[in-house]
Amino acid sequence: MLMRTDPFREFDRLTQQLLGNASGTWSRPTAMPMDAYREDDAYVIALDLPGVAPDAIDIDVERNMLTVRAERRPVAQGEGVQMELSERPLGVFSRQVMLADTLDTEHISADYEAGVLTLRIPIAERAKPRKITVTGSADRKEIQG
């Protein structure tokens, strides 16, 4: 048997259930926590999705809008199982991120490990800094006709 030691956490959970915020639906998904940072020549987005099966994750890019949707389904329960405590949120989770034009959306990679979905979006070649050579009049050859 599990003991509930934090009455305030239980009160928060009950309040979320009463207000309809405990689980996301396809029409009203719950947001997922996210970190975003630049690492070398890529933009990295890490999303927390613990307990979500890899086949329940959907990633789309339309124009510059990246959408990640996932669904955490209930664990199958057999006969004789009586749920004592259920605090982990179930349902649909979604996050949308507007990507800059300087990112190469054709080459996004996705990795899912230990409940964290990591997206790597390369920075487009046209957006990387480059050197421009300056030539002077002494470098040009005269054309005589």
Side-chain angles (χ1 to χ4, degrees):
M1 178 186 220
L2 298 174
M3 301 297 291
R4 296 181 185 150
T5 58
D6 186 355
F8 295 107
R9 176 178 282 177
E10 184 65 14
F11 182 72
D12 288 342
R13 186 182 67 78
L14 290 172
T15 303
Q16 287 180 347
Q17 284 181 336
L18 289 173
L19 295 175
N21 298 333
S23 63
T25 63
W26 286 106
S27 60
R28 294 191 75 184
T30 303
M32 59 187 86
M34 176 182 92
D35 288 337
Y37 54 92
R38 183 174 175 168
E39 182 178 74
D40 298 323
D41 286 340
Y43 192 69
V44 180
I45 298 174
L47 300 135
D48 283 349
L49 294 170
V52 174
D55 64 344
I57 300 172
D58 184 40
I59 305 168
D60 290 316
V61 177
E62 185 175 338
R63 296 192 181 128
N64 287 2
M65 182 64 70
L66 171 74
T67 303
V68 178
R69 293 176 79 86
E71 183 176 10
R72 183 180 302 137
R73 300 174 182 120
V75 177
Q77 304 209 0
E79 289 186 38
V81 174
Q82 180 178 343
M83 182 63 79
E84 293 288 330
L85 179 65
S86 178
E87 292 182 346
R88 299 183 324 154
L90 300 174
V92 180
F93 301 85
S94 180
R95 193 70 185 249
Q96 287 190 315
V97 178
M98 181 63 94
L99 302 176
D101 290 332
T102 58
L103 298 176
D104 184 359
T105 58
E106 297 293 321
H107 296 96
I108 296 175
S109 65
D111 181 50
Y112 185 62
E113 186 177 339
V116 178
L117 175 65
T118 303
L119 304 173
R120 293 190 172 282
I121 310 163
I123 295 173
E125 287 298 321
R126 70 181 187 283
K128 293 179 183 175
R130 59 192 181 278
K131 274 288 205 200
I132 299 177
T133 305
V134 177
T135 59
S137 59
D139 296 332
R140 287 191 231 144
K141 295 181 181 176
E142 292 276 332
I143 300 176
Q144 297 179 5

